Amino acid sequence: MSQSDESDETTSLLGDGTRRGDPQDEDYKSRWRSIRIMYFTMFLSSVGFSIVITSIWPYLQKVDHSATTSYLGWVVAAFSLCQMVASPIFGLWSNYRPRREPLACSIFINLFGNIYYAYAYLPTSNNKLHVLLARAFTGFGAGNVAVLRSYVAGATSLKERTNAMANMSASQALGFILGPALQACLSFIGERGVTVKFIELELNMYTVPALLAAVCGLINMLLVLIVLREHHIDDDGKRVLTINYTSEDTVDVIDEESEEAVDNVAVLTSNVLFFIVMFIFAIYETITTPLTMDMFAWTKREAVLYNGVIICLIGCESILVFLVVKVASQRFGDRPVLLTGLAIIFCGFFVLLPWGDSYPKIRWADIKNNTLVSQMYEASNSSVEPTGCPYEQTWCQYTPAIHLAQFITCAFLIGMGYPTSNVMSYTLFSKIVGPKPQGVYMGWLTASGSGARTLGPVFVSQVYTLLGPRWAFGIICGLMLGAISLLVGLYHRLIAYSIRLGRLVE
């Protein structure tokens, strides 16, 4: 049994995928030490995104009363739009220079964006614009995901790669667990919190999470600069030379396979499937706070707390899913597991469609036609936060309510389907590309996902605001059926590079 075969069968979820018992192999240990740095960087990147995602909407409303749910879509999209722009840039950079350079640069930009976000309340006007710009900087820094994935894809053999990619996704999921959990815990600080006067900084439930993300970024940068080393191996596990090796890195085999053509149809199909998966999840994470405030009459604080707990539980569920995915992909193959994940996502949004004859609570519906009474009501209840579905959204008056049981069931199914589809789509993509440098390829894949995360929030905020959840989630179900059809139609093309060339057997 080969080393990679053995490692593939015996690794734990976040293990390094390596065979124990080779303590003298410094290059081997260095390779997996560097891969673990990639896991940790992905984890921190995920924490930096998720730690504020459930509180962006109430933070926007606090710093700028003119902010609307449509503007929320643009704020969430700004992160992904800038990530889409940055991913190919950092990917190309990593193909020609040591990867610590684009990683350190991107982490610094991300760190700056989080500090900017914490100070977005300070300007006297256009505060919502500052929130958007802060998220844009954070998103640009998050373009390093392409570098992380290309590094792991290039530093693992074909047998190791599914495990390594699953571990990357598990690290991302752990970040999604810890981020909302921290936000939920920090919600008890309250909206006012305390003020550090000499630096004019308010420490409250909205700013402290961003500052914690900045601290994580600083730790991450130090690890990348001090510990990370360059490693690249082919599909069989042999070391190969790439241009981004430095003088401190040693190799003894030159890559002779990279001239073979990549199946561009399979590459494009993988990009489209990854786009759809990320588009769907971006919609879900964007709409949860407004949806629960509208349907369940939750206050801002309740929405931040409860959705933080729910996303945290989804993250925990995802960890279990990754355990199953690693075993299932070895037994059944990557493509059947991906198909299963897409089908589960479809079921999740189908369950979320509004049914029945009960309707959501309408905010101020009983006094909306009496201006004098409305003014008296607002004056006497100025300290009470209004809740419910705002009557300005006309669909609130004729669209059935979504029940909490539906929402929880959807969350459970998304927690199964999304991590399965996510890890299988980019694992399959990395295998299709093969042993050649994947920085640019992963850059475009990440850009595809970022484009989805840009369009998803804009789409759902507009369609949800104007037409309601029935149209929004109905369109999503149709899109998932299209993704399933695409995968089935091109099933035979989505195979690993070395398998297509007959060098390895599936």
Side-chain angles (χ1 to χ4, degrees), residues 20 37 71 166 181 195 243 284 295 311 367 373 410 480:
R20 308 301 177 186
I37 295 295
Y71 192 83
T195 301
I243 196 167
Y284 178 79
M295 291 294 167
I311 293 178
I367 58 173
V373 174
C410 172
M480 290 310 305

Side-chain angles (χ1 to χ4, degrees), residues 37-54:
I37 295 295
M38 298 299 100
Y39 295 162
F40 188 63
T41 304
M42 179 67 86
F43 167 76
L44 292 182
S45 176
S46 180
V47 169
F49 174 79
S50 64
I51 199 170
V52 300
I53 193 65
T54 60

